[in-house]
């Protein structure tokens, strides 16, 4: 996501960023070069726990804060099960809701929305490989789901020097577009290295589950939607700025509400909105 703010909430890393509005659609990668062979499966969460249970604490941190993520977002991230819980059908569900049942205070005052955000910081951090999730995203003006990663040296060097890899972002007012971006020193906030993938039929990605992935090596990062590679970035694409994707990163899943990129919800936005995650898997590259 972009414009990250480094804050701590309830002892957990609490960061968020946005992507640049109006980013161009990336040129497709030739099919012959589209996919490398994934190697060994090294980490996974299949989300096969009973309905109403919290994320696996051995794998995930649940973030709790209302700081707006540096993007003027409107949600308060809670640890309530009505914002973040297994559904009993093999999915983790992040639910954005209108209202404030906990009398939470946000950076702008009394919070208007709640949602969920979880990360693997300190529990799983890895450099290189295929990072993949099967997700059904939400929809609607002001809704901002994301599957992304931050460098594990964030606390030492700060953002964007730690690096950020946005595997999938969507703004709900453009339901047929998903975005993939890099944020680093000299290319961050509203000026990332970025591209987008448009649904081949022009349908909303919210209609069903889709698989979002990156394959990350020392030389390049390639983005995939449903097995289709749509862009590759290399150190030559950083405009002479540092390539900071040479150390372990941790993963993040969240649904933001409002913010500088998607804009605020309006009368057309229906709540609650849910992001369902069938699985997250990480493979070494073969």
């Amino acid at each position: 996501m972009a414009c990250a703010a480094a804050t701590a909430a309830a002892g957990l890393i609490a960061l968020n960023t946005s992507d640049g509005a109006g980013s161009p659609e990336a040129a497709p990668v030739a099919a012959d070069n589209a996919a490398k062979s994934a190697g060994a499966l090294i980490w996974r969460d299949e989300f096969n726990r009973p309905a109403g249970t919290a994320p696996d604490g051995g794998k995930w941190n649940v973030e709790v804060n209302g700081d707006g993520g540096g993007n003027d977002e409107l949600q308060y991230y809670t640890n309530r099960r009505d914002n973040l819980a297994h559904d009993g059908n093999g999915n983790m569900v992040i639910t954005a809701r209108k209202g404030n049942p906990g009398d939470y205070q946000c950076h702008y005052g009394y919070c208007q929305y709640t949602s969920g955000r979880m990360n693997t910081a300190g529990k799983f951090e890895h450099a290189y490989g295929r990072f993949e999730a099967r997700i059904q995203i939400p929809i609607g003006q002001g809704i901002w789901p994301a599957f992304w990663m931050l460098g594990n040296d964030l606390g030492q060097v700060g953002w964007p020097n730690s690096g950020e890899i946005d595997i999938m972002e969507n703004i709900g007012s453009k339901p047929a577009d998903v975005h993939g971006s890099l944020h680093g020193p000299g290319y961050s906030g509203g000026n990332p290295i970025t591209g987008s993938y448009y649904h081949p039929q022009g349908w909303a990605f919210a209609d069903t589950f889709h698989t979002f992935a990156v394959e990350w090596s020392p030389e390049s990062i390639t983005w995939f939607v449903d097995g289709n590679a749509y862009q590759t970035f290399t150190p030559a694409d950083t405009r002479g700025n540092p390539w900071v994707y040479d150390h372990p990163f941790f993963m993040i899943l969240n649904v933001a509400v409002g913010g500088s990129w998607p804009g605020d919800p309006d009368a057309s936005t229906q709540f609650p909105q849910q992001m369902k995650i069938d699985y997250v898997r990480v493979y070494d590259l073969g």
Side-chain angles (χ1 to χ4, degrees):
M1 307 184 72
C3 267
T7 59
L12 301 178
I13 291 174
L15 286 160
N16 209 340
T17 58
S18 74
D19 207 344
S23 53
E25 185 170 350
V29 177
D32 288 346
N33 298 322
K36 303 172 184 175
S37 297
L41 179 65
I42 59 173
W43 189 94
R44 71 195 304 175
D45 196 338
E46 303 292 331
F47 302 118
N48 289 326
R49 293 194 168 198
T53 57
D56 183 347
K59 296 179 177 180
W60 300 97
N61 305 302
V62 175
E63 301 188 27
V64 177
N65 70 79
D67 61 26
N71 304 303
D72 295 323
E73 298 159 25
L74 302 178
Q75 77 288 326
Y76 190 93
Y77 287 125
T78 84
N79 59 3
R80 297 169 65 101
R81 299 284 70 78
D82 58 358
N83 292 119
L84 192 59
H86 293 85
D87 66 358
N89 295 314
N91 304 303
M92 173 57 60
V93 181
I94 300 176
T95 305
R97 299 180 181 275
K98 188 174 184 178
N100 188 347
D103 290 329
Y104 303 116
Q105 290 296 312
C106 286
H107 64 98
Y108 57 87
Y110 192 75
C111 301
Q112 300 174 39
Y113 305 93
T114 61
S115 190
R117 175 165 154 161
M118 61 189 197
N119 71 61
T120 65
K123 298 184 176 182
F124 178 76
E125 300 170 347
H126 192 68
Y128 311 132
R130 181 179 176 90
F131 296 73
E132 175 181 300
R134 184 171 182 263
I135 301 172
Q136 183 174 16
I137 65 172
I139 195 170
Q141 168 60 38
I143 304 299
W144 185 3
F147 171 41
W148 53 299
M149 299 195 291
L150 287 170
N152 72 339
D153 59 351
L154 178 67
Q156 291 73 52
V157 304
W159 184 93
N161 292 333
S162 60
E164 175 178 327
I165 303 170
D166 297 328
I167 302 171
M168 180 282 298
E169 290 187 282
N170 166 265
I171 56 171
S173 60
K174 296 182 178 180
D177 271 310
V178 291
H179 300 259
S181 307
L182 296 178
H183 298 266
Y187 49 98
S188 64
N191 187 38
I193 301 169
T194 188
S196 63
Y197 180 85
Y198 188 76
H199 193 291
Q201 284 77 42
W203 300 340
F205 279 98
D207 286 351
T208 189
F209 283 88
H210 296 271
T211 302
F212 305 99
V214 293
E215 290 188 355
W216 168 26
S217 76
E219 296 82 24
S220 66
I221 303 174
T222 298
W223 279 254
F224 297 81
V225 177
D226 295 330
N228 301 305
Y230 71 94
Q231 67 184 9
T232 296
F233 295 133
T234 74
D237 295 307
T238 63
R239 311 162 191 152
N241 294 296
W243 176 264
V244 292
Y245 311 99
D246 57 358
H247 60 281
F249 276 54
F250 60 89
M251 296 180 288
I252 307 164
L253 287 158
N254 69 288
V255 178
V257 180
S260 53
W261 185 30
D264 293 349
D266 61 19
S268 71
T269 312
Q270 297 183 8
F271 286 94
Q273 286 291 326
Q274 294 186 329
M275 180 163 79
K276 297 181 179 180
I277 306 108
D278 178 26
Y279 65 76
V280 179
R281 298 172 185 163
V282 181
Y283 302 83
D284 275 334
L285 292 181

